[in-house]
Amino acid sequence: MSAEPALPGVDLRRRHRGDPAAEEVLAIREWAEELASIADAWLAGREALRARQAEEAEAREYRAATELSRSTP
């Protein structure tokens, strides 16, 4: 079993050095990995936002129900 390289893709870059098409594909791959990371972070942030919004809506409903029960004799 071989150890993972310190930087992913380093071995691929060495193997394909001098091949412009392969270097371009490797660059696109790196961009795609970066974009996937950005998308994952965005989705996690959106999920956290939706959870906070749901908590706030639940708190509003609870406050409204509490005030309603206080105002009815």
Side-chain angles (χ1 to χ4, degrees):
M1 207 187 227
S2 64
E4 286 288 316
L7 297 171
V10 169
D11 291 337
L12 287 175
R13 283 192 288 275
R14 265 193 220 133
R15 263 195 319 230
H16 296 288
R17 187 174 296 150
D19 181 355
E23 290 174 356
E24 186 68 22
V25 168
L26 288 171
I28 292 169
R29 177 181 171 191
E30 289 173 6
W31 294 335
E33 289 171 353
E34 183 178 349
L35 180 59
S37 175
I38 291 168
D40 288 345
W42 185 88
L43 288 169
R46 184 167 177 83
E47 185 176 329
L49 172 65
R50 293 291 186 209
R52 277 194 308 274
Q53 288 174 334
E55 289 173 4
E56 290 170 0
E58 187 176 326
R60 278 193 304 275
E61 290 171 7
Y62 176 78
R63 283 192 301 272
T66 302
E67 287 189 26
L68 183 62
S69 68
R70 287 182 185 165
S71 65
T72 30

